[in-house]
């Protein structure tokens, strides 16, 4: 094991800036397990994310949290510096980069496979230069026209997520006649812009965008359409973790369950997504979801 220092909480120094480089940490997608659904850990370096805003706003705390998720079994750490909850305020690309780039660089140096959660081309480009292997772009149909060229030029993997309208305002665009048909059609349409820029099919990961311009019934319908999503021929990422539609499902005494009480339901969705061949799940609480995908893989044989 490389001697950058002890793991957080295990040695004489617990400084998150003195990192361990795990002996067999996957640095490339080619090294990731192919026999089970992957687990992507969510690392919000923000003061205002809906579930854990402010917990990892400081760089050192964010690095330590990312390492803990890695040691808990996360295959990929998704680092984001801008919240997309409806009442959040947009930040400049410069502020976003100031938040996340030191975290990305430190985690990559420690041997972690890193994704960057951003809608900004300039942030994505600098994160890739710092070692990120995946761009997770939630802009949906409003994707920056420069993004396909960047993905083609750098050769990174790219999450193509469905959304309509501004990502912070879901209700005006949450009307569908046949949500699965429309989401599949719009993802296919958006995919063509990436193909035209020279992006290969193998670079693209599909995300139906649960909770983005979709109400609870639409989210459940999309989850029931997993087979149709995988039939598009791309890897499928499911991001249901702690989302509002799970809180509504768990309503008691007229009150929806708060985000931190939605983890068990998240694990249930992870298990079903894994059973239906999702490539990955994006989650806040890593360890139980790792257990779920391993258990599902063993069940499926």
């Amino acid at each position: 094991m490389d001697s950058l220092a002890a793991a957080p909480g295990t040695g004489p120094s617990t400084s998150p800036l003195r990192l361990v480089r795990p002996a067999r940490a996957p640095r490339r997608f080619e090294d990731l397990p192919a026999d089970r659904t992957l687990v992507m850990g969510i690392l919000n370096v923000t003061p205002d994310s809906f579930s854990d805003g402010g917990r990892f706003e400081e760089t050192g705390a964010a690095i330590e949290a990312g390492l803990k998720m890695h040691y808990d079994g996360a295959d990929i750490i998704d680092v984001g510096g801008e919240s997309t909850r409806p009442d959040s305020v947009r930040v400049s690309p410069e502020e976003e980069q100031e938040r996340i780039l030191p975290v990305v660089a430190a985690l990559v140096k420690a041997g972690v496979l890193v994704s960057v959660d951003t809608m900004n081309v300039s942030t994505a480009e600098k994160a890739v230069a710092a070692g990120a292997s995946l761009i997770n772009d939630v802009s949906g149909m409003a994707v920056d026209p420069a993004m396909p060229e960047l993905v083609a030029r750098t050769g990174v993997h790219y999450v193509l997520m469905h959304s309509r309208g501004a990502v912070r305002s879901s209700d005006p665009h949450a009307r569908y006649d046949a949500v699965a048909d429309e989401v599949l059609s719009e993802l296919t349409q958006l995919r063509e812009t990436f193909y035209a820029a020279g992006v290969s099919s193998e670079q693209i990961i599909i995300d139906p965008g649960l909770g983005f311009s979709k109400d609870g019934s639409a989210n459940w319908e999309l989850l029931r359409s997993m087979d149709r999503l995988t039939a598009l021929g791309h890897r499928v990422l499911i991001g249901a973790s702690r989302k509002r539609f799970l809180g509504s499902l768990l309503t008691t005494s007229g009150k929806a369950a708060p985000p931190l009480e939605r983890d068990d339901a998240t694990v249930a969705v992870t298990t079903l997504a894994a059973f239906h061949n999702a490539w990955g799940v994006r989650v806040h609480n890593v360890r139980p979801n790792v257990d779920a995908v391993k258990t599902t893989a063993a069940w499926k044989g």
Side-chain angles (χ1 to χ4, degrees), residues 93-266:
E94 292 76 19
E95 183 175 353
E96 179 187 36
Q97 291 159 26
E98 184 177 348
R99 290 176 178 179
I100 69 169
L101 291 179
V103 179
V104 170
L107 292 178
V108 169
K109 185 176 181 181
V112 178
L113 192 64
V114 173
S115 165
V116 58
D117 177 4
T118 185
M119 298 178 284
N120 296 310
V121 172
S122 62
T123 299
E125 184 161 24
K126 290 180 180 179
V128 170
S133 301
L134 170 67
I135 299 170
N136 181 20
D137 181 1
V138 303
S139 59
M141 300 300 290
V143 65
D144 188 313
M147 189 68 82
E149 185 278 330
L150 172 66
V151 176
R153 172 164 47 85
T154 59
V156 295
H157 299 259
Y158 179 80
V159 176
L160 185 68
M161 196 197 81
H162 179 273
S163 183
R164 289 179 177 176
V167 297
R168 288 170 176 77
S169 178
S170 61
D171 290 344
H173 302 277
R175 298 179 179 88
Y176 299 86
D177 294 323
V179 64
D181 291 343
E182 293 172 54
V183 167
L184 288 165
S185 174
E186 290 171 16
L187 281 172
T188 302
Q189 172 189 338
L190 187 56
R191 177 180 65 178
E192 293 303 316
T193 66
F194 283 82
Y195 284 169
V199 177
S200 71
S201 176
E202 291 74 21
Q203 288 174 259
I204 294 175
I205 299 163
I206 294 292
D207 182 342
L210 301 178
F212 286 84
S213 303
K214 300 169 188 74
D215 61 17
S217 62
N219 294 325
W220 291 116
E221 181 61 28
L222 286 169
L223 286 170
R224 287 192 289 268
S225 302
M226 274 289 302
D227 292 345
R228 296 183 63 189
L229 288 167
T230 56
L232 286 178
H234 302 282
R235 297 161 291 177
V236 175
L237 176 68
I238 296 296
S241 185
R242 297 180 180 173
K243 288 196 172 176
R244 184 179 303 176
F245 76 103
L246 296 181
S248 298
L249 175 71
L250 305 176
T251 296
T252 56
S253 302
K255 186 176 181 181
L260 294 179
E261 294 179 15
R262 303 170 190 172
D263 281 347
D264 290 345
T266 298

